[in-house]
Every structure is written in structure tokens, then in C-alpha cells.
Amino acid sequence: MSARETAELLLQVGRLVQAEGYDGELSPAQWMALRFFARANPFSRTPSALAEFQATTRGTATQAIKALEAGGYLVRQPFKTDGRSVSLRLTSKGKKANARDPFEVLVRAVDSLDATERTAMRRALHQVLSTLATSGAHRRFGVCQDCTYFGREMCGNLPSTDPSAAECLLLGVPIQPEDVGLLCVHFQPMNEHREDRPTP
């Protein structure tokens, strides 16, 4: 199969999943925003992070956010450290909607593959995303345990194995155990060298 045929299959999968999103309740863009805020860590629940994640304009992201707020799916909260910035979180209505996300049809399709196929697909798609991100101005998103900024507090000469001892070396703040597997706007893949990486 040629690279073009594979790329067309990826687009077709995307189109089918988006079509599932037209259920009358929320648009595909609103589903994507709701899904993002459900999976984003506390540092990334902002309009600008959503815009970067969707590779769209801040205005387009703001429209989806306003519709979700008006529908009672999202609520704004000021950041504790900076009252001028806002953090968005799902309301109970948003959590209920997210539990019946039409995206789950794709999750089930991927889950029907065996573990080896899922792992190979995940690696391949990560590589494709990395290539796309480096060829443009788009930021990559990922989770803490795969990030170069993920650190553990030291216990003697060894990093602690206590999950509550995790910290973000970029921001210099603790990472709560429940946030370790969530998406982050500051993500930097471990396999990439960064000259500005802080020394732990």
C-alpha cells in the first residue's frame, strides 16, 4: 500500500468519526473541545491550549468554548496563581455528555485489534504526528510520563517511586497523581534533545 493510500485511509477514518459527532446535541468541533478539556491537565485547560491542540485560531476555539459554556457543559474558573487567566473544566452535564462521546466508536474499533497491532499503530501514528509537527508551527501534546520535563523528587540518590512525588521540571510545580496521564500543552517528547531543558 502506498503512503498516499494510507494517508487517505487516515482521512476517511477522521471523516467517519466526525460524522458520528453530528447527533444534534453538539457539533464535531464542540465534541473535540469537550474531549480535550476532559483529558487536559490543569496547566492546559485554556482557550489558547485548545486552539493549539486543534491547530486552529483562538477565535474558532473560543466559539466552541462559548457554545459549551452556554449549554452548561463547561465552566470557567480563574487560575489560582493568575486571576487574569481562566481554566475551563467540565460540569456534571459535561461529564455525562463525555461519557457518551461518539468518538467511542473509534475507540472500540481500535480495541478490536490485538495488543501488538495497537502498539504498532500507536507508535506509527506518534511518528506521523511528530513529523507533521516538526514540518509546521504546530505544538505537540502528550502526557507527563512521556515528557522530557517529567521529573521525580529525589529520595537519596534515586528518584522516588511514589506517584505523588512527580513534578514538572519546566514549571517547577508538583504533578498530582491523577494528572500524570492527562494531555499537556507544554509536552516535549523524551527522545528529543532540548537545550533549554531545566536541570533537575
Side-chain angles (χ1 to χ4, degrees):
M1 179 177 285
S2 72
R4 180 170 298 279
E5 288 171 314
T6 303
E8 286 172 352
L9 284 173
L10 282 172
L11 280 179
Q12 184 67 20
V13 166
R15 282 193 214 102
L16 288 173
V17 172
Q18 273 209 319
E20 290 284 330
Y22 286 107
D23 68 349
E25 182 182 0
L26 299 172
S27 72
Q30 291 164 356
W31 274 117
M32 184 177 260
L34 191 70
R35 197 176 300 130
F36 171 77
F37 289 114
R39 287 223 44 228
N41 70 16
F43 315 119
S44 307
R45 295 178 192 145
T46 65
S48 58
L50 173 63
E52 290 199 45
F53 181 74
Q54 291 184 327
T56 188
T57 65
R58 173 89 183 249
T60 300
T62 300
Q63 286 178 347
I65 290 167
K66 283 183 178 176
L68 290 170
E69 286 181 293
Y73 299 95
L74 282 181
V75 65
R76 288 175 188 253
Q77 294 178 317
F79 269 114
K80 293 174 185 171
T81 54
D82 179 4
R84 295 169 301 167
S85 299
V86 295
S87 175
L88 293 139
R89 68 170 179 80
L90 270 64
T91 61
S92 57
K93 181 179 180 180
K95 289 175 185 173
K96 285 178 187 171
N98 195 54
R100 59 181 190 279
D101 185 349
F103 175 72
E104 290 303 312
V105 71
L106 178 58
V107 174
R108 288 191 297 274
V110 172
D111 196 42
S112 70
L113 302 172
D114 68 39
T116 305
E117 290 172 320
R118 284 195 306 270
T119 301
M121 179 185 246
R122 183 177 187 271
R123 284 187 184 137
L125 289 174
H126 266 290
Q127 182 60 43
V128 169
L129 281 172
S130 293
T131 302
L132 287 172
T134 54
S135 68
H138 303 298
R139 187 186 297 255
R140 279 173 276 184
F141 283 69
V143 296
C144 293
Q145 60 259 37
D146 298 331
C147 182
T148 193
Y149 298 125
F150 183 62
R152 297 237 181 240
E153 292 178 3
M154 300 302 285
C155 182
N157 291 328
L158 297 171
S160 171
T161 55
D162 178 3
S164 65
E167 65 176 324
C168 176
L169 299 176
L170 176 67
L171 302 175
V173 296
I175 301 170
Q176 299 304 313
E178 64 271 18
D179 295 335
V180 168
L182 299 180
L183 296 173
C184 185
V185 70
H186 302 294
F187 174 76
Q188 187 66 37
M190 275 188 190
N191 58 354
E192 289 190 3
H193 172 71
R194 281 184 64 98
E195 292 178 10
D196 59 343
R197 178 180 174 179
T199 25

